[in-house]
Amino acid sequence: SARYSNEIYKTANMPGVAVGLAWTYVGGDILFIETLLGDGKGDMKLTGNLGNVMKESASTALTYLQANARKYSIDPELFSKKSVHIHVPEGAVPKDGPSAGITMLTSLASAFTGRKIKSYLAMTGEITLRGQVLPVGGIKEKVLAAKRAGLKEIIMCWQNEKDVQEIDSDFIKGVDFHYVKNMQQVLELALS
Amino acid sequence: SARYSNEIYKTANMPGVAVGLAWTYVGGDILFIETLLGDGKGDMKLTGNLGNVMKESASTALTYLQANARKYSIDPELFSKKSVHIHVPEGAVPKDGPSAGITMLTSLASAFTGRKIKSYLAMTGEITLRGQVLPVGGIKEKVLAAKRAGLKEIIMCWQNEKDVQEIDSDFIKGVDFHYVKNMQQVLELALS
Amino acid sequence: SARYSNEIYKTANMPGVAVGLAWTYVGGDILFIETLLGDGKGDMKLTGNLGNVMKESASTALTYLQANARKYSIDPELFSKKSVHIHVPEGAVPKDGPSAGITMLTSLASAFTGRKIKSYLAMTGEITLRGQVLPVGGIKEKVLAAKRAGLKEIIMCWQNEKDVQEIDSDFIKGVDFHYVKNMQQVLELALS
Amino acid sequence: SARYSNEIYKTANMPGVAVGLAWTYVGGDILFIETLLGDGKGDMKLTGNLGNVMKESASTALTYLQANARKYSIDPELFSKKSVHIHVPEGAVPKDGPSAGITMLTSLASAFTGRKIKSYLAMTGEITLRGQVLPVGGIKEKVLAAKRAGLKEIIMCWQNEKDVQEIDSDFIKGVDFHYVKNMQQVLELALS
Amino acid sequence: SARYSNEIYKTANMPGVAVGLAWTYVGGDILFIETLLGDGKGDMKLTGNLGNVMKESASTALTYLQANARKYSIDPELFSKKSVHIHVPEGAVPKDGPSAGITMLTSLASAFTGRKIKSYLAMTGEITLRGQVLPVGGIKEKVLAAKRAGLKEIIMCWQNEKDVQEIDSDFIKGVDFHYVKNMQQVLELALS
Amino acid sequence: SARYSNEIYKTANMPGVAVGLAWTYVGGDILFIETLLGDGKGDMKLTGNLGNVMKESASTALTYLQANARKYSIDPELFSKKSVHIHVPEGAVPKDGPSAGITMLTSLASAFTGRKIKSYLAMTGEITLRGQVLPVGGIKEKVLAAKRAGLKEIIMCWQNEKDVQEIDSDFIKGVDFHYVKNMQQVLELALS
Ligand SMILES: [Ca+2]
Ligand SMILES: [Ca+2]
Ligand SMILES: [Ca+2]
Ligand SMILES: [Ca+2]
Ligand SMILES: [Ca+2]
Ligand SMILES: [Ca+2]
Ligand SMILES: [Ca+2]
Ligand SMILES: [Ca+2]
Ligand SMILES: [Ca+2]
Ligand SMILES: [Ca+2]
Ligand SMILES: [Ca+2]
Ligand SMILES: [Ca+2]
């Protein structure tokens, strides 16, 4: 219910926590990506029962962010002076695939800038090393899960717009969609 | 019997030893999480026949504690000057899953603060990197095992309260339940 | 369509991004190789769901480029002062085999020299440590995929010329072929 | 025969060699745990065809001993200035399980203190990080094997006493049993 | 054809490239071993889809060469100041077995001395750490492949001479055989 | 034949090369253990298609030799200033088991002392960390293989004497047997 969801997003109201959309064998679901920075030497720790492709998304996101640090007003030295821990809760559920890429990058960017992520915002999309956003599968199931959880905005690749148009519009009333081509657009929408 | 249990908790009366609840193929059981700190460089050793998800819980707990060190009055330098060994006895039994998360964090917090954990207290719940407590499965079996072992208080996620209400109240007379939302509540209850 | 393809190559218009040709179970396809350099100590990170043989191609390409740095006007010290991340998008698709060798070397050379790669150019071919280009399989499928994607020039090994000659010339009108023996020829054609 | 056994224990008469009891698919057996310290940096090497649980026992024993070094009059600096090699002879036989825990700790304590272990003494029991001794299985088979080998004293967990009482007393005449709760009791009995 | 082969050996005319003989499921074949030295710390990289036994051959060859550096007029300090990359082209073909040992050692010796390897020369044989050459299998298939490729001299172990004598002499007209006992003989024949 | 064997042992006439006895699926066989020391930091490399138990034998042998360096007149600093490479020729044959232990220790002791090993001498036996020699299997097959290869002396554990006595004495005429209890006896017999 909306009450439960509100509860979640209030507690999530700290930098480094982003909401993604997953497509599992039981249908669509929302998932949180949590990033914490600590003192370190640029090492990255990944937890939450993640498969190799999902781990590679995190690695790709970190390299992209480091290469574009100045564009996002991040001190480049942080990447060698901090350790990065990314966790995806619900350890009992195996997670994999590239579709959490933009959520991971947003979580990282939020943690490195200290800027919170907009409330009631979810996203799904693969990332490339040069910062493009690629389309992903399971859009219908993901969007309906976001709606059920009380989320109000969703970011995805412009090439997924056609998948949203196939959903009955009654089911997604009140949800705003943002179709993007690159990570810069994602971060402008997501970081407050 | 109660006599046997008393015996156990007396010997366990040192910082770093927490009591968790597990759900195995033979039913519910209690398990101990033992943490010892030594001189080191922030490395963590995990023993006790633990699966990957359970190891990730320990890693997540350590990152959370380090990021919130000052809140819990822990000298942040300890995390780079100590080695951490977490052991879960009964090496013949494979153990896995995220539900020992809050027990591991409590064991770590006890070892890092030097404060003992309340006697006759057990707990079960998944942890997130931002310190939330998530619900877990097997509540009925775990609670009955805690009762059999003579434990008197149990901490779990507020979303598991409904699972406790389904247990016949005669079976859990004398056991106090604490329903929590985050790790700060757990540590306030657990550390004396 | 051509419109979609143009879009892709415009956004790809930065050093380090090369277009390769792959032969998958669904036929020919184009793939991008993206290289980003960061501060580091000569370490290489490879992502994109790559098999061992494809990873070895990247390693071989890097060693060749380092050994021939002066020939390509690259400061040899970069190889110990930079980290290299090579990513191949579309993480959901496993990729393997040696045929991306010349694409990887071109991507690396572009990143290390800062020179962009010619637009609408694709390539396929195995590389050796001494800089030869070796023939690969699946030429017909790869060439047709390049044509469909709007690419205009293709580089491959001179020993693959016979495979191109077997394709109906109507299907490849407007595509120029470059048959090469070694990497020096590839880089002269590819780097602007 | 006794003659053969005497021979064994005479040659074993050096610090670091402890006698354990194992329960294999052919019945009970004795096994030796050998520890040698060398110059090093606190690293531990484990050989003798050991499974992961048995390796974890050794790791747990080492952490316990380091944390309790002063109690046993061991210079704490040895743990960072020595390398530890633990070997369990008969490499053709795979060995696993937690029951060699107290034997490993005794072997380590003997090597670190330079004190020899009492002759004709065997032991079996799991260890915890806080130094408790836990009960193990296969007591009858292990005890009979110890008797056959000419051993005269056996240390085990007080919770295994009931298993010894089930053995026909004629079979174990001349063997003394020591039932213990913690490692301090084990080391007081074992180290001369 | 001979024309094609000549082409290959001309381009191979640089230090570090040696021609070996392999015996695959499709019969005999020639293979190239390529070695490049770079700035480093004595580390060795092996690529080309090699199995463990073949990798061990390379390791054995490098240790032998280092131990006998002065005999072959190699500055011993090179072994700690250079990195070694050995590549065996045709990454799509898995390769294994010890028979490339002498080819690997010759390739390494050529790279470390800067002396080219004789043209139109192939070789096959296992190496030992003390520099002996051991016999290998598949001699008939390997020799015929060398002949087809236009090679003119072949080095192998003296214990393989009997295998050559069983080949119809019409098939190997114009090929010279060198039967050797140790690596010193191989390198005297191979390095110009 | 004897002629062939003589040839082998003459070329083997350098420190670090020891002759062992193996028991394979085709019967008994001899095997060589070759040790070369190089400049290094105490690291050990093992090649020759060895299984884990055989690798552990080498590790155990090295620790024993280091701990007993002075007894065998070896400068203890060599163990941290040298790298050790142990190779067992015939890479096509997988090798495993603990029975090469004393051969490995003899090979190591020969390499570290610079003293050659007696000619025409073979050995088989497991080693313990405290220097005992343990009995091994396949004695009949191993002894007959040694005889066929022209070897004249064999060292083994005193507990294997009964296995030699079961062999028809006509088959082993001219072979001397040495039955030992510990490594000191082995090295006194083997090192000239
Ligand atoms: Ca969920
Ligand atoms: Ca997502
Ligand atoms: Ca239990
Ligand atoms: Ca628990
Ligand atoms: Ca594609
Ligand atoms: Ca390609
Ligand atoms: Ca035994
Ligand atoms: Ca034991
Ligand atoms: Ca070929
Ligand atoms: Ca070869
Ligand atoms: Ca043989
Ligand atoms: Ca042997």
Side-chain angles (χ1 to χ4, degrees), chain A residues 48-91:
Chain A
N49 207 344
L50 312 181
N52 284 334
V53 171
M54 199 162 178
K55 285 179 179 170
E56 289 188 350
S57 286
S59 169
T60 302
L62 186 63
T63 300
Y64 169 81
L65 197 67
Q66 179 168 13
N68 295 276
R70 292 185 202 282
K71 180 193 292 185
Y72 300 116
S73 303
I74 299 169
D75 176 2
E77 293 200 348
L78 287 181
F79 292 90
S80 56
K81 291 196 302 200
K82 291 291 176 185
S83 65
V84 179
H85 189 151
I86 299 178
H87 179 68
V88 188
E90 303 200 40

Coordinates of all heavy atoms in Angstrom, one line a residue, chain A residues 48-91:
Chain A
G48 N 25.1 -8.6 -1.9 CA 23.7 -8.7 -2.2 C 23.3 -9.8 -3.2 O 22.3 -9.7 -3.8
N49 N 24.2 -10.8 -3.2 CA 23.9 -12.0 -4.1 C 23.8 -11.6 -5.5 O 22.9 -11.9 -6.2 CB 22.6 -12.6 -3.6 CG 22.5 -14.1 -3.9 OD1 23.3 -14.6 -4.7 ND2 21.6 -14.8 -3.3
L50 N 24.9 -10.9 -6.0 CA 24.9 -10.4 -7.4 C 25.7 -11.3 -8.3 O 26.7 -11.8 -8.0 CB 25.6 -9.0 -7.4 CG 25.1 -8.0 -6.3 CD1 25.8 -6.6 -6.5 CD2 23.6 -7.8 -6.4
G51 N 25.1 -11.5 -9.5 CA 25.8 -12.2 -10.6 C 26.9 -11.4 -11.2 O 27.0 -10.1 -11.0
N52 N 27.7 -12.0 -12.1 CA 28.9 -11.4 -12.7 C 28.5 -10.2 -13.5 O 29.2 -9.2 -13.5 CB 29.7 -12.4 -13.5 CG 30.5 -13.2 -12.6 OD1 30.8 -12.8 -11.5 ND2 30.9 -14.4 -13.0
V53 N 27.4 -10.3 -14.3 CA 27.1 -9.2 -15.2 C 26.7 -8.0 -14.4 O 27.0 -6.8 -14.7 CB 25.9 -9.6 -16.2 CG1 25.4 -8.4 -17.0 CG2 26.5 -10.7 -17.1
M54 N 25.9 -8.2 -13.3 CA 25.5 -7.1 -12.5 C 26.8 -6.4 -11.8 O 26.8 -5.2 -11.7 CB 24.5 -7.5 -11.4 CG 23.7 -6.4 -10.9 SD 22.2 -7.0 -10.1 CE 21.5 -5.5 -9.4
K55 N 27.7 -7.3 -11.4 CA 28.9 -6.7 -10.8 C 29.7 -5.9 -11.9 O 30.3 -4.9 -11.5 CB 29.8 -7.9 -10.3 CG 29.3 -8.5 -9.0 CD 30.2 -9.6 -8.5 CE 29.8 -10.2 -7.2 NZ 30.5 -11.4 -6.9
E56 N 29.7 -6.4 -13.1 CA 30.4 -5.6 -14.2 C 29.7 -4.3 -14.4 O 30.4 -3.3 -14.7 CB 30.5 -6.4 -15.4 CG 31.4 -7.6 -15.3 CD 31.6 -8.3 -16.7 OE1 30.9 -8.0 -17.6 OE2 32.5 -9.1 -16.8
S57 N 28.4 -4.2 -14.2 CA 27.7 -2.9 -14.3 C 28.2 -1.9 -13.3 O 28.4 -0.7 -13.6 CB 26.2 -3.1 -14.1 OG 25.6 -3.7 -15.2
A58 N 28.4 -2.4 -12.1 CA 28.9 -1.5 -11.1 C 30.3 -1.0 -11.4 O 30.7 0.2 -11.2 CB 28.9 -2.2 -9.7
S59 N 31.1 -1.9 -11.9 CA 32.5 -1.6 -12.3 C 32.5 -0.6 -13.4 O 33.3 0.4 -13.4 CB 33.3 -2.8 -12.6 OG 34.5 -2.5 -13.2
T60 N 31.7 -0.8 -14.4 CA 31.6 0.1 -15.5 C 31.1 1.5 -15.0 O 31.6 2.6 -15.5 CB 30.6 -0.4 -16.6 OG1 31.1 -1.7 -17.0 CG2 30.5 0.5 -17.8
A61 N 30.1 1.5 -14.2 CA 29.6 2.8 -13.6 C 30.7 3.6 -12.9 O 30.8 4.8 -13.1 CB 28.4 2.5 -12.7
L62 N 31.5 2.8 -12.1 CA 32.5 3.5 -11.3 C 33.6 4.1 -12.3 O 34.0 5.3 -12.1 CB 33.2 2.6 -10.3 CG 34.2 3.2 -9.4 CD1 33.5 4.2 -8.5 CD2 34.9 2.1 -8.6
T63 N 34.0 3.4 -13.3 CA 35.0 3.9 -14.2 C 34.4 5.2 -15.0 O 35.1 6.2 -15.1 CB 35.4 2.9 -15.3 OG1 35.9 1.8 -14.6 CG2 36.4 3.4 -16.2
Y64 N 33.1 5.1 -15.4 CA 32.5 6.2 -16.1 C 32.5 7.4 -15.1 O 32.9 8.6 -15.6 CB 31.1 5.9 -16.5 CG 30.3 7.1 -16.9 CD1 30.5 7.6 -18.2 CD2 29.5 7.8 -16.1 CE1 29.8 8.8 -18.6 CE2 28.8 8.9 -16.5 CZ 29.0 9.4 -17.8 OH 28.4 10.6 -18.1
L65 N 32.1 7.2 -13.9 CA 32.0 8.4 -13.0 C 33.4 9.0 -12.7 O 33.5 10.2 -12.7 CB 31.4 7.9 -11.7 CG 30.8 9.1 -10.8 CD1 29.6 9.7 -11.5 CD2 30.4 8.6 -9.4
Q66 N 34.4 8.1 -12.6 CA 35.7 8.6 -12.3 C 36.2 9.5 -13.5 O 36.8 10.5 -13.4 CB 36.7 7.5 -12.1 CG 38.1 7.9 -11.8 CD 39.0 6.8 -11.3 OE1 38.6 5.6 -11.3 NE2 40.1 7.1 -10.8
A67 N 36.0 8.9 -14.7 CA 36.4 9.6 -16.0 C 35.7 11.0 -16.2 O 36.2 11.9 -16.8 CB 36.3 8.7 -17.2
N68 N 34.5 11.1 -15.6 CA 33.7 12.3 -15.8 C 33.5 13.1 -14.5 O 32.5 13.8 -14.3 CB 32.3 11.9 -16.4 CG 32.5 11.3 -17.8 OD1 32.5 12.1 -18.8 ND2 32.6 10.0 -17.9
A69 N 34.5 12.9 -13.6 CA 34.3 13.4 -12.2 C 34.1 15.0 -12.3 O 33.2 15.5 -11.7 CB 35.6 13.1 -11.4
R70 N 34.9 15.7 -13.1 CA 34.8 17.1 -13.1 C 33.5 17.6 -13.6 O 32.9 18.6 -13.1 CB 36.0 17.7 -13.9 CG 37.3 17.5 -13.2 CD 38.4 18.2 -13.9 NE 39.7 17.6 -13.6 CZ 40.3 17.8 -12.4 NH1 39.8 18.6 -11.5 NH2 41.5 17.2 -12.2
K71 N 32.9 16.9 -14.6 CA 31.6 17.2 -15.2 C 30.6 17.2 -14.1 O 29.6 18.0 -14.1 CB 31.3 16.3 -16.3 CG 29.9 16.6 -16.9 CD 29.4 15.4 -17.8 CE 30.2 15.2 -19.1 NZ 29.6 14.2 -19.9
Y72 N 30.7 16.3 -13.1 CA 29.7 16.2 -12.1 C 30.2 16.8 -10.7 O 29.6 16.5 -9.7 CB 29.3 14.7 -11.9 CG 28.7 14.2 -13.1 CD1 29.3 13.1 -13.8 CD2 27.5 14.7 -13.7 CE1 28.8 12.6 -15.0 CE2 27.0 14.2 -14.9 CZ 27.6 13.1 -15.5 OH 27.1 12.6 -16.7
S73 N 31.2 17.6 -10.8 CA 31.7 18.4 -9.6 C 32.2 17.5 -8.5 O 31.9 17.7 -7.3 CB 30.7 19.4 -9.1 OG 30.3 20.2 -10.2
I74 N 32.8 16.4 -8.9 CA 33.4 15.4 -7.9 C 34.9 15.6 -7.9 O 35.5 15.6 -8.9 CB 33.0 14.0 -8.2 CG1 31.5 13.8 -8.3 CG2 33.6 13.0 -7.2 CD1 31.0 12.5 -8.8
D75 N 35.5 15.7 -6.7 CA 36.9 15.8 -6.5 C 37.5 14.5 -7.0 O 37.3 13.4 -6.4 CB 37.3 16.0 -5.1 CG 38.8 16.0 -4.8 OD1 39.5 15.9 -5.8 OD2 39.2 16.1 -3.7
P76 N 38.3 14.5 -8.1 CA 38.9 13.2 -8.7 C 39.7 12.4 -7.7 O 39.8 11.2 -7.8 CB 39.7 13.7 -9.8 CG 39.3 15.1 -10.2 CD 38.7 15.7 -8.9
E77 N 40.2 13.1 -6.7 CA 41.1 12.4 -5.7 C 40.3 11.4 -4.8 O 40.8 10.5 -4.3 CB 41.8 13.4 -4.8 CG 42.9 14.1 -5.6 CD 43.9 14.7 -4.7 OE1 43.7 14.7 -3.5 OE2 45.0 15.2 -5.2
L78 N 39.0 11.7 -4.7 CA 38.1 10.8 -3.9 C 38.2 9.3 -4.4 O 38.1 8.4 -3.6 CB 36.6 11.2 -4.0 CG 36.3 12.5 -3.2 CD1 34.8 12.8 -3.4 CD2 36.7 12.4 -1.8
F79 N 38.4 9.2 -5.7 CA 38.4 7.8 -6.3 C 39.6 7.0 -5.8 O 39.5 5.7 -5.9 CB 38.3 7.8 -7.8 CG 36.9 8.3 -8.3 CD1 36.7 9.7 -8.5 CD2 35.9 7.5 -8.4 CE1 35.5 10.2 -8.9 CE2 34.6 8.0 -8.9 CZ 34.5 9.3 -9.1
S80 N 40.6 7.6 -5.4 CA 41.8 6.8 -4.9 C 41.8 6.9 -3.3 O 42.6 6.2 -2.7 CB 43.1 7.3 -5.5 OG 43.2 8.7 -5.3
K81 N 41.0 7.8 -2.7 CA 41.1 7.9 -1.3 C 39.9 7.3 -0.5 O 39.8 7.3 0.7 CB 41.2 9.4 -0.9 CG 42.5 10.0 -1.3 CD 42.8 11.4 -0.6 CE 41.7 12.4 -0.8 NZ 42.2 13.8 -0.6
K82 N 38.9 6.8 -1.3 CA 37.7 6.2 -0.7 C 37.6 4.8 -1.1 O 38.1 4.4 -2.2 CB 36.5 7.0 -1.2 CG 36.4 8.4 -0.6 CD 36.1 8.4 0.9 CE 36.1 9.8 1.5 NZ 35.9 9.7 2.9
S83 N 37.0 4.0 -0.2 CA 36.5 2.6 -0.7 C 35.0 2.8 -0.9 O 34.4 3.6 -0.4 CB 36.8 1.6 0.4 OG 36.0 1.9 1.6
V84 N 34.6 1.9 -1.9 CA 33.1 2.0 -2.3 C 32.5 0.7 -1.9 O 33.0 -0.4 -2.3 CB 33.0 2.3 -3.8 CG1 31.6 2.3 -4.2 CG2 33.7 3.5 -4.2
H85 N 31.4 0.7 -1.2 CA 30.6 -0.5 -1.0 C 29.2 -0.3 -1.6 O 28.5 0.6 -1.2 CB 30.5 -0.8 0.5 CG 30.0 -2.1 0.9 ND1 30.3 -2.9 2.0 CD2 29.1 -2.9 0.2 CE1 29.6 -4.0 2.0 NE2 28.8 -4.0 0.9
I86 N 28.9 -1.2 -2.5 CA 27.5 -1.1 -3.1 C 26.8 -2.4 -2.6 O 27.3 -3.5 -2.8 CB 27.6 -1.1 -4.6 CG1 28.3 0.1 -5.1 CG2 26.1 -1.2 -5.2 CD1 28.4 0.2 -6.7
H87 N 25.6 -2.2 -2.0 CA 24.9 -3.4 -1.5 C 23.5 -3.3 -2.1 O 22.9 -2.2 -2.3 CB 24.8 -3.3 0.0 CG 24.0 -4.4 0.6 ND1 24.4 -5.7 0.5 CD2 22.8 -4.4 1.2 CE1 23.5 -6.5 1.1 NE2 22.5 -5.7 1.6
V88 N 22.9 -4.4 -2.5 CA 21.6 -4.5 -3.0 C 20.8 -5.5 -2.1 O 21.0 -6.7 -2.1 CB 21.5 -5.1 -4.4 CG1 20.1 -5.0 -5.0 CG2 22.5 -4.3 -5.3
P89 N 19.9 -4.9 -1.2 CA 19.2 -5.7 -0.2 C 18.4 -6.9 -0.8 O 18.2 -7.0 -2.0 CB 18.3 -4.7 0.5 CG 19.0 -3.4 0.3 CD 19.5 -3.5 -1.1
E90 N 18.0 -7.7 0.2 CA 17.3 -9.0 0.0 C 18.3 -10.0 -0.6 O 18.3 -10.4 -1.7 CB 16.1 -8.8 -1.0 CG 15.1 -7.7 -0.4 CD 13.7 -7.8 -1.0 OE1 13.3 -9.0 -1.2 OE2 13.1 -6.8 -1.2
G91 N 19.2 -10.4 0.3 CA 20.3 -11.3 0.0 C 19.9 -12.7 -0.4 O 20.6 -13.4 -1.0

